[in-house]
Amino acid sequence: MGDVLTTPVFLVWCARCRRTAVLLSPGVVRGSAAWGVLAWPIPVVGLWAHRPLVQDVLRASTPGAGAAAPARSDTLVDVRWGA
């Protein structure tokens, strides 16, 4: 029952994070808005698609994001993906 309640909230949160990342750093976040949300609940796809989505949001939220931005550590994203 908890998944039924938390999944829509999580997907809305993901969409808002992605939208904010696009506004902060246009061109850094890859893919469409639909893919950014729909990739999560699709079986098997959700196992590999979320890592680059979260990395893009992380990079876009870095001050001065873009081609000249310093590389930001993806360690937390990798730990979460590995879990």
Side-chain angles (χ1 to χ4, degrees):
M1 182 68 176
D3 289 344
V4 173
L5 299 175
T6 57
T7 299
V9 172
F10 175 74
L11 294 175
V12 168
W13 177 76
C14 286
R16 293 179 124 192
C17 287
R18 188 188 183 287
R19 183 178 15 188
T20 302
V22 169
L23 292 173
L24 289 172
S25 303
V28 174
V29 180
R30 299 170 283 182
S32 68
W35 175 250
V37 173
L38 296 176
W40 290 88
I42 298 172
V44 181
V45 173
L47 294 174
W48 60 266
H50 71 275
R51 185 174 179 268
L53 295 170
V54 173
Q55 283 177 324
D56 286 348
V57 170
L58 175 71
R59 290 180 184 134
S61 64
T62 302
R72 185 168 178 178
S73 174
D74 292 338
T75 304
L76 287 177
V77 175
D78 293 338
V79 169
R80 192 255 181 234
W81 183 72

